[in-house]
Amino acid sequence: MRELKIFAIVAFFSFLTYYLVEPYAHHEMHKKMDANGVEIKIESHGFTYDGTDDIAEAERAGDAARVAVKKAFWTDVVEVSKLKGDATAGEAGFGMCLGCHNGANMNMGGVIPPNLDHAGAIYDKNYLIAVIKDPAMASNVDHKYADTMMHPMGSIKAMLSDNQQIADVVAYMLEHKAGEVTPKEAFTEACVRCHAVRYTKTTQLGDTPKFKHKKDELAYEIKVIEEQDMVKAYMGNLPPDLSMMIRARGEHFMETFIENPQGQLPGTSMPRVGLNHEGYEKVKEYLTEAGDPSKKAREELGPWVIGFFVLFSILAFLWKKSMWRDLH
Amino acid sequence: MANEEKSRRDFMGMALGACAAVGGVGALYAAKRSWDPLPSVKAAGFTTIDLSTAKPNELIVEKWRGKPIFILKKTADMAAHERDLVIGSDRFHMSIGLCTHLGCIPAYKKDTHVFFCACHGGVFDASGIQEPGLPPPSPLEIPPFKIAGTKIILGEEGPEYKQMLDAGLTV
Amino acid sequence: MAHFEKANSLNEWLDQRIALNTLKKVLNTEYWIPKDINFLWAMGMILAATFGILVVSGIFLLMYYKPDTNLAFDSVNYTIMSEVGYGWLWRHIHGIGASIVFLIIYIHMFVGIYYGSYKRGRELIWLSGMGLFVAFSAEAFSGYMLPWGQMSYWAGMVITNLFSGGSLEAYGLVEWIRGDYVPGDAYLTRFFMLHVFLIPLVIIGLIVLHFGTLRIPHVNNQEGADIDFEEAAELYKAGKKKESKVIPFSPVFLSKDIFVMGVYFILFFYLVFYNFNFAMDPVNFDPADGLKTPAHIYPEWYFLWSYEILRPFSKDVGLIAFGIAQAALFFLPFIDRSPNVAPAHKRGLFQVWFWVLLIDMIVLTAMGKLPPTDPTFAFIGLVSAVLFLLMGPALFIITMFEKKIEKGA
C-alpha cells in the first residue's frame, strides 16, 4: 500500500546517500594508482612470502636492475626452503643469533634486537630464511640502503651465508623456538621494539614497572625517552603508539599493511616483520584487547537489544492496530 | 463488540507496557554499572608494604584507599597488645591514621609514644587505644591486612585480621 | 487567594492546583491530529526520542570525560571505552545518535517541503524548525571536537579558518574564536561548555517554541486540506470515529508513533552494535596532532552538501555562496509565492523542483566527501552547487505561475 511505497522511496534515497558517502567515497579516497592511472589492488597473500609484491613494486617503478636483484633473491630463498634442515646442527648456528638477540634490552643500531623465543611459531618459514639471507631485502626496506650490509642486522649476511647452514638454523627455530604463544608474547616479540602501547602500559623498553617513588618513576621515563630517541633516529620518525590502531585503521588495512608495509604506505621505513597467519592472529588479538576491548561484549549484547526491539515493534504494531481499528 | 475491542486494546497496551518496562530495567542496570568503581580504582585498593626496613619508634605513614595508614615498630618498652601485628620477633602497631572523633590525622609523639590529635586534644597510646576522658570514643581502626613474610598487603583479609575482627579488637 | 474545596482524589487535588485535567485535554486527549497522515508524520516524535537518548547517553559520558587536551582522548578511548561499565555502549549510542538524528532531520524537513507544511499560518513552525537545524548543527560540531582526535582537531582548524572571511583576512577574529593561535585547550573547553550546557538549553527552548507554534495551525495532512477541527472534534467525541477527520494525539496518534519508533530503534541499534564507522570515523581514533594533517579531512556526512557549496568557487565567492545556501532554506515560506497547501504531486512543476532539490543535495553530499583533485568530481560539484543556488529563484518563478488549486469542502 501507499505507506510501503513511501517507505521504499525514503529507504532508497537514504541507502543511496550512505553508499555514496561511505563505501564509494572511501574506496575513491584510499585507492592506489600506478603511473598509468590503473588501480593497484592491495590484497593479502595469506601471510606467505615469496616476493611477488616486492617484484611488482620494482616493475612498476621501471627499475629493471632492482627487479632482477629481487627475483634472484626470492628464487634463492625458495632454493633454501627445499633443503632438509637439521635442527640439531642448527643449534650451533642459532648460537650466533644469541649474540645480539640476548634479552639484555640493549639498543643496537637503532632498535633492541627482538626476543626470538617463539620465532618458529609466529614467523613464516620462508621469511626466516630470507631474513637471515638479507634482512633489508626480506623486510622490503632495501630502498633505504645503498648497501644492505648497513642494516642493523646486515652483518648476518656474512656470518651465516651457507644455504644448508641457514636451513639448519631455521629448522632449529621451527622445532625449538615454537610452541604455545600468547597474544602478548607474539606482540612483544614482533612489534614492541618500535611501537609503544600506552593502554597496556608498554613502551619500547617493555612493560612499565610500578614504582613507589616519583624519582624512580621519572628516571624510568627518561630511559624510555632515550630509547625512543634512538628508534626515532633510526626510523626517521617515532613509530606511532598502537593503542587504538586497530580501530583507527580497520582489519583490512592492518592485514595488508603488516604483510607488506610498502603496499599501503609506499616509501615507509617500517619493515615487513614476516608474521605467519598464526602470528598475525595473535598480534591482532592483542591489538584488539588494547584498542577495542568491548568488541566481544558488543557482539554478545547486540542480538539481545535488536531482538528486544523486534518484539517491541511487533507488540507496538498490534497495539496500534487495535487503537486504529474503529477509525477507518 | 465494543467491549471486546476495548479489552483487546487494553491487553495489547499492557503487553507493550510490560515489554517497555523490561527494556527500562535493562537500561537502568547499564546505568547502575556505569557508576560502579572502575577496575583501575578497585585494583588500586590493594597496597603492599615492605616492613623489613622499618625502624623502632619511627612512624611509617602509607596511603591505602586514599586514607593514611600508621605503622609503628614497637620498642622493647612499649607494651605488647593483642592488636599488634607480629612478624617474626617484631611487634608492629598498624591502624588507619584518622582520629575516631571527627577524622583528623593525629601526630605521633616520639618522646611520649602517643598519638596526639590537635583538633580537639584526643590521645591514643602506642597500640592505638584512646585515652579516656577525651573526645575520641573508640580506638584507631585496623584496616584489613594480610601478612606475607615481611610484607603486608592492605585490602586483603588475612587470618590474623579475621581473628581481630572476631575478637572485637577492631571494627 | 482563590477558594479551595477539599479534594476527593489525587487527580482532583492536582486538577484544583495546576488544572491537570485541562492540561491533559489540551496536550493529549483532545489535541486533535488529522487522520489522513502516514508514518512520516512520526519523524517529529522520533527526533524528540533521539534527542532524549543523546541527552541520557551524554550524561553518562559527561561523568567520565575530561575536557583537557592532554586527557580528553584517553578519557574517552580508554576510561569510557574499556573501564566504565557499559561505557562503550553509551559512547556508541551517542555517536550513532548524533549522526542518525540528522538523517531524521532531513527526512522531517523534506516531508515538510513536500506537503507544504511551511505555508501560510505555519511559517513560524518552519522558522523554529530551521532554528533547531542550526542549533543541532552547532551541537554536533561542538561535540565532535571533544574526543580530540585527528579529525576533531583538523575539522576544527578548517571550519574556524572560514571565519577569516576570505579577503577580509580577519585572522584576529579566528584567533579570538579559538582563544589561541590554533585549536588548543581554551578552544576545547569553550566548545565543551557550548556542547554540554548552552546549546542544549537553546535546543530545549526551540523545541518548546516549535511545539507552541504548531498548536494553533494544527498538524498538516496528506492532502493539505483545510479541516474544521472543532466540527471534527465534536464528531469524534460523539463516538462517530469513522466519520471524523481527526484523532486525538494521545493515545491514537501516539500509538502509531510508538510503532514507528520501535522499527526505528531496530535500525538504530543495528548501527550501534554492528555498523558504526560512518558515525565514528576511524581517522578520529588517531590522537590529535597539530603537526600532522590526515590525508583526507572531511566533515560529517550531514555537513557535506554545505561544504561542497564552499569548494568549487574562489575563496570569497565560496563564502558568499555558502552563506546564501544556509539562509535560503530559512526563507522558503516567503520565496514560495503560491497559496496552495497541497502535496507536491498536486502542484505541477513544484513536484519537479522538489525531486531536483533532493537529488541535488544528495549529489552535493557525495561530492563533498570525494577528493577535489579529480576533475570529474570537481565539475559535477560545481554544476550541483550552481544548481542549488538557482533553486531559490527557480522556486520563486515556478510558484508565481502555479495554478491555484480549488479546495473542495
Side-chain angles (χ1 to χ4, degrees):
Chain A
M1 10 131 237
R2 189 205 247 178
E3 275 193 297
L4 277 174
K5 192 174 120 191
I6 297 174
F7 178 73
I9 295 172
V10 171
F12 169 73
F13 282 109
S14 305
F15 278 112
L16 176 66
T17 310
Y18 171 79
Y19 168 73
L20 289 170
V21 167
E22 282 295 308
Y24 178 69
H26 282 282
H27 174 75
E28 289 297 309
M29 275 192 263
H30 296 128
K31 68 182 180 192
K32 308 265 184 297
M33 311 289 269
D34 68 17
N36 301 323
V38 178
E39 187 181 346
I40 305 170
K41 284 213 172 291
I42 301 177
E43 264 144 14
S44 165
H45 298 288
F47 294 97
T48 57
Y49 303 92
D50 57 7
T52 324
D53 283 339
D54 308 37
I55 295 166
E57 281 156 23
E59 277 168 350
R60 276 197 293 273
D63 188 340
R66 212 133 131 254
V67 173
V69 167
K70 284 196 181 261
K71 276 193 175 148
F73 176 76
W74 288 100
T75 315
D76 217 0
V77 168
V78 171
E79 286 304 308
V80 178
S81 74
K82 292 197 188 122
L83 297 172
K84 185 149 174 17
D86 179 353
T88 323
E91 188 170 357
F94 186 76
M96 273 191 259
C97 311
L98 291 174
C100 292
H101 293 270
N102 55 22
N105 254 22
M106 270 183 58
N107 188 300
M108 294 186 191
V111 280
I112 296 170
N115 183 311
L116 295 176
D117 281 350
H118 300 91
I122 63 176
Y123 301 120
D124 175 71
K125 173 180 165 192
N126 279 15
Y127 181 82
L128 286 171
I129 294 170
V131 83
I132 297 174
K133 268 217 160 280
D134 187 334
M137 288 283 282
S139 54
N140 205 5
V141 290
D142 50 297
H143 58 273
K144 294 204 296 190
Y145 304 98
D147 177 358
T148 57
M149 277 291 274
M150 301 309 294
H151 185 282
M153 192 173 140
S155 52
I156 196 73
K157 284 166 64 174
M159 288 159 69
L160 271 178
S161 53
D162 176 65
N163 279 357
Q164 185 58 52
Q165 221 185 357
I166 294 174
D168 292 342
V169 170
V170 172
Y172 171 77
M173 281 198 275
L174 289 173
E175 207 176 298
H176 297 282
K177 293 290 173 193
E180 281 299 309
V181 53
T182 64
K184 188 180 162 82
E185 283 165 343
F187 182 81
T188 307
E189 291 174 29
C191 320
V192 161
R193 59 189 177 281
C194 291
H195 289 282
V197 185
R198 66 185 184 284
Y199 286 1
T200 58
K201 298 192 178 44
T202 309
T203 68
Q204 287 80 353
L205 290 179
D207 290 338
T208 304
K210 271 204 181 65
F211 295 104
K212 190 153 154 177
H213 301 292
K214 190 82 182 182
K215 198 164 133 187
D216 299 327
E217 204 180 295
L218 289 172
Y220 187 82
E221 243 180 83
I222 290 176
K223 277 193 23 219
V224 170
I225 292 173
E226 284 169 350
E227 175 64 26
Q228 287 180 339
D229 282 344
M230 285 192 265
V231 173
K232 189 167 164 182
Y234 168 54
M235 296 298 276
N237 247 330
L238 184 64
D241 186 294
L242 296 182
S243 298
M244 291 302 293
M245 203 51 84
I246 193 79
R247 281 197 78 152
R249 298 288 180 272
E251 286 192 22
H252 174 76
F253 181 94
M254 294 301 278
E255 208 176 21
T256 50
F257 181 72
I258 290 175
E259 200 185 81
N260 179 25
Q262 298 299 323
Q264 293 280 11
L265 287 182
T268 185
S269 41
M270 166 152 163
R272 169 196 281 139
V273 294
L275 286 168
N276 58 21
H277 182 80
E278 150 109 22
Y280 172 71
E281 288 299 312
K282 291 272 146 74
V283 166
K284 188 170 96 168
E285 203 182 311
Y286 183 83
L287 287 175
T288 307
E289 267 167 50
D292 194 8
S294 57
K295 183 163 184 215
K296 196 151 150 290
R298 204 166 62 222
E299 285 165 3
E300 274 171 12
L301 186 59
W304 288 98
V305 174
I306 294 171
F308 170 83
F309 279 107
V310 169
L311 175 65
F312 181 91
S313 302
I314 293 171
L315 291 174
F317 180 69
L318 292 171
W319 185 53
K320 180 258 174 192
K321 269 222 105 91
S322 71
M323 294 299 289
W324 284 64
R325 184 152 290 138
D326 56 356
L327 296 177
H328 295 297
Chain B
M1 233 281 273
N3 259 335
E4 207 180 276
E5 272 310 317
K6 187 169 180 330
S7 64
R8 183 198 269 124
R9 257 210 301 270
D10 288 344
F11 172 71
M12 286 322 308
M14 280 198 285
L16 180 63
C19 181
V22 168
V25 167
L28 283 172
Y29 172 71
K32 175 264 173 199
R33 288 270 288 112
S34 300
W35 271 46
D36 286 346
L38 300 183
S40 54
V41 166
K42 292 209 282 231
F46 299 94
T47 310
T48 305
I49 303 172
D50 188 357
L51 295 177
S52 54
T53 52
K55 295 192 189 50
N57 200 30
E58 271 192 27
L59 183 69
I60 298 169
V61 184
E62 292 285 347
K63 218 161 78 160
W64 173 76
R65 293 191 186 168
K67 297 186 256 239
I69 304 293
F70 289 161
I71 301 171
L72 181 69
K73 187 166 179 178
K74 285 189 161 175
T75 58
D77 56 313
M78 286 184 201
H81 197 281
E82 291 173 291
R83 299 173 102 227
D84 291 346
L85 267 68
V86 183
I87 298 178
S89 54
D90 297 320
R91 300 191 77 87
F92 291 86
H93 162 73
M94 182 178 71
S95 57
I96 299 177
L98 298 172
C99 181
T100 53
H101 177 224
L102 289 173
C104 297
I105 303 176
Y108 180 63
K109 302 286 183 205
K110 283 182 84 164
D111 38 346
T112 46
H113 298 176
V114 293
F115 295 95
F116 173 70
C117 186
C119 290
H120 306 98
V123 173
F124 302 87
D125 70 14
S127 302
I129 308 296
Q130 79 281 19
E131 207 182 277
L134 294 167
S138 53
L140 294 174
E141 261 179 58
I142 301 178
F145 68 92
K146 183 164 147 177
I147 302 179
T150 54
K151 295 198 176 77
I152 43 172
I153 304 163
L154 294 170
E156 291 204 28
E157 294 190 4
E160 296 87 352
Y161 174 72
K162 290 205 177 97
Q163 267 180 341
M164 289 193 198
L165 266 183
D166 288 337
L169 294 170
T170 186
V171 295
Chain C
M1 165 133 151
H3 180 72
F4 282 80
E5 294 284 345
K6 180 170 157 56
N8 296 318
S9 69
L10 178 63
N11 195 45
E12 204 184 316
W13 191 88
L14 284 169
D15 192 42
Q16 286 175 347
R17 285 151 183 73
I18 57 171
L20 183 69
N21 287 333
T22 315
L23 271 175
K24 273 200 269 192
K25 278 200 219 149
V26 166
L27 294 177
N28 282 316
T29 55
E30 289 184 25
Y31 176 22
W32 304 106
I33 310 286
K35 202 196 288 176
D36 181 25
I37 54 174
N38 61 53
F39 77 95
L40 291 171
W41 263 247
M43 293 301 119
M45 270 289 125
I46 291 190
L47 281 171
T50 308
F51 180 63
I53 287 177
L54 284 166
V55 169
V56 170
S57 56
I59 283 171
F60 287 97
L61 294 173
L62 186 56
M63 292 198 296
Y64 292 99
Y65 173 75
K66 303 260 190 310
D68 176 313
T69 51
N70 294 316
L71 303 172
F73 185 87
D74 289 344
S75 72
V76 174
N77 288 304
Y78 182 68
T79 309
I80 289 172
M81 289 296 283
S82 67
E83 288 227 289
V84 175
Y86 292 101
W88 56 270
L89 182 61
W90 304 122
R91 202 252 172 121
H92 274 237
I93 288 176
H94 202 74
I96 296 298
S99 195
I100 210 104
V101 79
F102 281 93
L103 174 66
I104 310 299
I105 286 178
Y106 283 129
I107 293 176
H108 189 58
M109 265 169 65
F110 275 96
V111 169
I113 299 175
Y114 191 88
Y115 289 100
S117 307
Y118 56 88
K119 312 271 279 178
R120 177 182 297 168
R122 297 194 170 97
E123 302 90 335
L124 287 176
I125 308 174
W126 178 264
L127 286 172
S128 59
M130 281 306 297
L132 278 166
F133 175 67
V134 171
F136 268 93
S137 300
E139 182 73 349
F141 178 75
S142 56
Y144 204 72
M145 296 299 107
L146 303 185
W148 210 241
Q150 273 288 62
M151 205 58 104
S152 308
Y153 181 90
W154 289 99
M157 179 73 98
V158 170
I159 299 304
T160 47
N161 270 335
L162 288 179
F163 287 88
S164 64
S167 300
L168 293 174
E169 300 200 342
Y171 300 123
L173 177 64
V174 174
E175 277 170 23
W176 180 82
I177 290 172
R178 292 173 181 164
D180 199 335
Y181 306 109
V182 289
D185 214 54
Y187 174 86
L188 179 63
T189 48
R190 63 189 51 178
F191 274 99
F192 178 70
M193 175 283 289
L194 286 173
H195 185 74
V196 164
F197 184 71
L198 195 54
I199 301 177
L201 282 184
V202 168
I203 288 177
I204 290 171
L206 282 170
I207 290 177
V208 171
L209 186 64
H210 197 58
F211 285 178
T213 53
L214 174 59
R215 194 69 182 84
I216 295 176
H218 286 90
V219 171
N220 198 358
N221 57 80
Q222 283 191 107
E223 298 304 316
D226 279 333
I227 295 179
D228 183 342
F229 280 88
E230 256 116 50
E231 188 193 326
E234 289 311 312
L235 264 180
Y236 189 92
K237 285 199 280 199
K240 296 211 171 70
K241 294 186 184 169
K242 278 206 213 337
E243 292 88 342
S244 173
K245 288 195 180 145
V246 298
I247 49 171
F249 176 78
S250 169
V252 183
F253 181 73
L254 263 185
S255 69
K256 185 156 178 170
D257 264 357
I258 289 175
F259 164 62
V260 179
M261 261 200 269
V263 176
Y264 165 71
F265 282 131
I266 296 174
L267 171 68
F268 183 92
F269 281 102
Y270 161 71
L271 296 170
V272 163
F273 287 98
Y274 296 109
N275 196 339
F276 38 77
N277 280 342
F278 75 96
M280 295 166 70
D281 196 294
V283 175
N284 224 26
F285 285 106
D286 278 331
D289 185 344
L291 296 174
K292 188 163 129 201
T293 312
H296 302 278
I297 305 175
Y298 41 81
E300 284 295 280
W301 72 269
Y302 37 87
F303 290 146
L304 288 170
W305 70 268
S306 255
Y307 187 62
E308 183 59 13
I309 290 179
L310 197 49
R311 294 210 295 192
F313 308 109
S314 70
K315 214 160 165 194
D316 293 330
V317 176
L319 279 170
I320 295 171
F322 179 77
I324 293 175
Q326 308 310 306
L329 279 169
F330 265 89
F331 293 109
L332 194 65
F334 311 103
I335 301 175
D336 184 329
R337 306 310 295 169
S338 152
N340 292 329
V341 182
H345 56 260
K346 291 206 169 134
R347 292 180 59 191
L349 277 177
F350 179 82
Q351 186 183 27
V352 175
W353 181 89
F354 174 85
W355 292 109
V356 169
L357 176 71
L358 175 64
I359 292 171
D360 189 33
M361 283 180 84
I362 292 178
V363 173
L364 279 170
T365 301
M367 294 302 123
K369 188 83 174 263
L370 293 166
T373 43
D374 184 307
T376 324
F377 295 147
F379 178 71
I380 298 174
L382 175 64
V383 167
S384 314
V386 170
L387 179 60
F388 186 85
L389 294 167
L390 292 173
M391 294 300 272
L395 180 67
F396 185 85
I397 297 169
I398 289 174
T399 53
M400 280 285 269
F401 294 106
E402 191 172 308
K403 224 160 64 168
K404 184 156 170 30
I405 296 174
E406 292 309 322
K407 293 285 182 102

